[in-house]
């Protein structure tokens, strides 16, 4: 007696055309999903010691160093960089670069920036680069413990001007980089010491230039570091 109404109710419920169906989430299209999973394009650029190599690439969206293969260090602004034409490497840097990442805007690529072990890169052009650093230190001078007067060899008594102040003792301002080609390098500096004030050479300028033929031979001239320790 109760089977027929239950079966009829089930039939009416399943065949009702106005019964709302659960909304379905549209699946992403195949091209969009493939684009989301595709890694950004990369370019491999290699250079030899003392040489610079330019690799064509689309750098409109920036460049990121992905992996380095060389024993030489790949330092941004020193041994690798990029411009409108592509990615460049120098001095033995070999690496893979992602050319679809994010980077600084074009207007800030040429701005001065600090490069570890190199200094502040203030000029970065196709024909050369200029790095600048500054080394200096001060000293504290206390002469309050001296006698107020002294007597010279003629018996005259003089007053001693005792001092207590801080002085800029020395400064060392080097400029380094390359010109025309990364093989042609220079190192120039200005140096002075407070103890040489009044001497003809109280401010000294010097330096050296060199040309790197390969990793075994470099020809140069000027004032360089000593070939041993002092």
């Amino acid at each position: 007696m109760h089977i027929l109404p239950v079966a009829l109710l089930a039939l009416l419920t399943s065949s009702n055309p106005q019964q709302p169906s659960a909304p379905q989430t549209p699946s992403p299209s195949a091209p969009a999903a493939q684009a989301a999973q595709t890694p950004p394009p990369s370019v491999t650029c290699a250079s030899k010691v003392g040489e610079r190599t330019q690799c064509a690439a689309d750098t409109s969206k920036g460049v990121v160093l992905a992996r380095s293969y060389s024993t030489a260090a790949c330092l941004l602004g020193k041994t690798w960089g990029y411009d409108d034409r592509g990615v460049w490497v120098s001095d033995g840097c070999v690496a893979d670069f992602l050319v679809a990442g994010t980077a600084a805007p074009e207007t800030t690529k040429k701005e001065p920036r600090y490069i570890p072990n190199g200094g502040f890169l203030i000029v970065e052009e196709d024909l050369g680069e200029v790095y600048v650093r500054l080394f200096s230190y001060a000293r504290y001078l206390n002469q309050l413990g001296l006698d107020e007067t002294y007597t010279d060899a003629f018996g005259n008594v003089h007053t001693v001007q005792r001092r207590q102040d801080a002085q800029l003792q020395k400064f060392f301002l080097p400029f380094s980089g390359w010109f025309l080609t990364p093989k042609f390098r220079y190192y120039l500096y200005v140096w002075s010491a407070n103890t040489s004030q009044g001497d003809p050479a109280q401010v000294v300028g010097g330096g050296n230039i060199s040309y790197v033929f390969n990793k075994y031979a470099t020809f140069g001239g000027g004032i360089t570091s000593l070939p041993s320790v002092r």
Side-chain angles (χ1 to χ4, degrees):
M1 295 298 293
H2 300 284
I3 297 178
L4 181 60
V6 173
L8 181 60
L9 179 61
L11 179 62
L12 293 176
T13 303
S14 60
S15 61
N16 187 4
Q18 296 182 356
Q19 180 71 21
S21 59
Q24 298 181 356
T25 303
S27 58
S29 59
Q34 183 178 4
Q37 298 177 359
T38 302
S42 64
V43 59
T44 301
C45 203
S47 66
K48 298 181 180 179
V49 176
E51 296 183 358
R52 173 170 170 152
T53 303
Q54 184 84 24
C55 300
D58 181 9
T59 60
S60 59
K61 296 183 179 180
V63 177
V64 177
L65 191 152
R67 182 179 180 184
S68 175
Y69 299 95
S70 58
T71 56
C74 292
L75 303 176
L76 176 60
K78 187 174 183 180
T79 56
W80 80 272
Y82 63 95
D83 50 29
D84 295 336
R85 298 175 297 172
V87 182
W88 62 264
V89 292
S90 64
D91 292 336
C93 174
V94 180
D96 290 337
F97 300 93
L98 302 180
V99 294
T102 58
E106 177 68 22
T107 55
T108 61
K109 286 196 301 181
K110 301 293 184 178
E111 292 183 355
R113 61 184 184 275
Y114 178 74
I115 306 299
N117 299 324
F120 289 94
L121 179 60
I122 60 175
V123 176
E124 182 184 10
E125 300 295 340
D126 293 337
L127 295 180
E129 294 179 347
V130 178
Y131 292 83
V132 62
R133 291 179 288 176
L134 176 62
F135 302 91
S136 179
Y137 64 89
R139 71 173 182 175
Y140 170 68
L141 181 64
N142 189 339
Q143 297 179 333
L144 299 181
L146 299 178
D147 296 335
E148 297 182 358
T149 61
Y150 76 96
T151 303
D152 60 20
F154 300 98
N156 299 319
V157 178
H158 301 274
T159 302
V160 176
Q161 183 180 1
R162 297 180 296 178
R163 301 169 53 184
Q164 179 182 214
D165 53 17
Q167 299 177 349
L168 181 63
Q169 178 66 8
K170 290 183 180 181
F171 82 91
F172 180 67
L173 184 64
F175 298 86
S176 60
W178 58 269
F179 181 66
L180 296 179
T181 171
K183 295 183 178 181
F184 183 37
R185 302 175 181 178
Y186 65 88
Y187 186 86
L188 308 174
Y189 61 83
V190 179
W191 174 87
S192 180
N194 193 26
T195 54
S196 63
Q197 294 297 319
D199 296 338
Q202 66 182 30
V203 178
V204 179
N208 60 81
I209 57 175
S210 61
Y211 189 88
V212 180
F213 292 96
N214 51 54
K215 64 180 180 179
Y216 303 105
T218 299
F219 178 80
I223 302 175
T224 61
S225 58
L226 297 178
S228 62
V229 295
R230 291 190 285 182

